[in-house]
Amino acid sequence: MADTRNADLTFGGTDYLVYYAPANTAPPAAFADPASGWLNLGWTTTEGGLFKLEEETKDVEAAGSLEPIRTLLTKSTKTTQVTFLEMLNPAVRSLYDNVPLASLEPTTDVVSYDLPDKAVDLRYAFIFDSMDGNKRLRYYMPNGKVSERGDEQSQTSDVVPVQMTFKFYKGATAAAVKKFIKYGGNDVSGFFA
């Protein structure tokens, strides 16, 4: 077997960008910049985003066998956790506070709005981009929402971060998550001989 190791195929994200738009908004072509209608959620912490796939299974036991005769996949959840640094970014606030973005448009320099008494199921399309030189990773999720929110604590020693976990669902015409990879000109043909 050929040795296909290539240090240039490692990935160390140097930037991390998050965009959102109305649910089921189509993704830009390949790695094109998102068009108007997509909003950037601003600076994130250096940890970038934490993408998780969680699967739950159930073993089917049967008489006469010491091993399960079948395993059923009962649940598959896809989430991403990001910590944003722009606590006052209206797009970040709207997601964190679970209110429409229009609720944060000030008439002067001040805006006030009510937080929902009951959870509102606000859904959006998301793009999560990470770059390493010419190499790129992009996750496109057509139908997602904020499913968990970190604590909000004003402090004097640092900026106030806003942590959110996004959960993704199948879109109107697309899978819950679509991943794009740009190899950055690195030859990967040896993997497909």
Side-chain angles (χ1 to χ4, degrees):
M1 177 173 240
D3 184 353
T4 56
R5 291 181 291 180
N6 181 345
D8 290 333
L9 293 178
T10 61
F11 192 87
T14 58
D15 201 357
Y16 193 78
L17 300 170
V18 181
Y19 302 89
Y20 86 126
N24 294 303
T25 298
F31 285 92
D33 287 336
S36 62
W38 287 94
L39 290 174
N40 185 294
L41 294 172
W43 292 105
T44 66
T45 58
T46 57
E47 288 86 14
L50 177 63
F51 180 73
K52 288 185 180 182
L53 292 168
E54 294 182 31
E55 295 180 343
E56 293 180 18
T57 59
K58 178 183 179 188
D59 289 338
V60 178
E61 308 284 338
S65 177
L66 297 176
E67 298 175 1
I69 62 166
R70 184 172 176 197
T71 300
L72 303 173
L73 179 62
T74 59
K75 186 177 182 180
S76 180
T77 305
K78 296 159 185 73
T79 61
T80 298
Q81 184 180 64
V82 181
T83 303
F84 298 95
L85 294 174
E86 296 180 26
M87 182 244 207
L88 295 180
N89 178 321
V92 170
R93 290 284 7 140
S94 76
L95 290 171
Y96 185 85
D97 292 336
N98 201 26
V99 297
L101 180 61
S103 303
L104 283 101
E105 185 174 2
T107 53
T108 58
D109 189 39
V110 175
V111 66
S112 67
Y113 53 96
D114 294 326
L115 297 180
D117 291 328
K118 290 198 247 178
V120 181
D121 192 21
L122 298 177
R123 302 285 182 106
Y124 302 95
F126 293 93
I127 293 173
F128 298 86
D129 280 348
S130 184
M131 299 95 179
D132 179 5
N134 291 330
K135 297 174 281 189
R136 303 276 190 271
L137 291 177
R138 172 173 278 175
Y139 289 91
Y140 163 70
M141 291 83 160
N143 181 17
K145 68 177 186 176
V146 176
S147 60
E148 295 178 38
R149 293 159 176 84
D151 296 335
E152 185 178 315
Q153 179 181 1
S154 296
Q155 53 188 325
T156 59
S157 61
D158 202 351
V159 298
V160 178
V162 178
Q163 186 180 77
M164 291 182 269
T165 300
F166 303 87
K167 187 172 183 180
F168 307 105
Y169 306 88
K170 185 172 173 39
T173 60
V177 178
K178 183 170 186 158
K179 188 172 196 172
F180 299 84
I181 299 174
K182 181 178 179 184
Y183 292 110
N186 291 295
D187 182 14
V188 295
S189 61
F191 293 92
F192 308 102

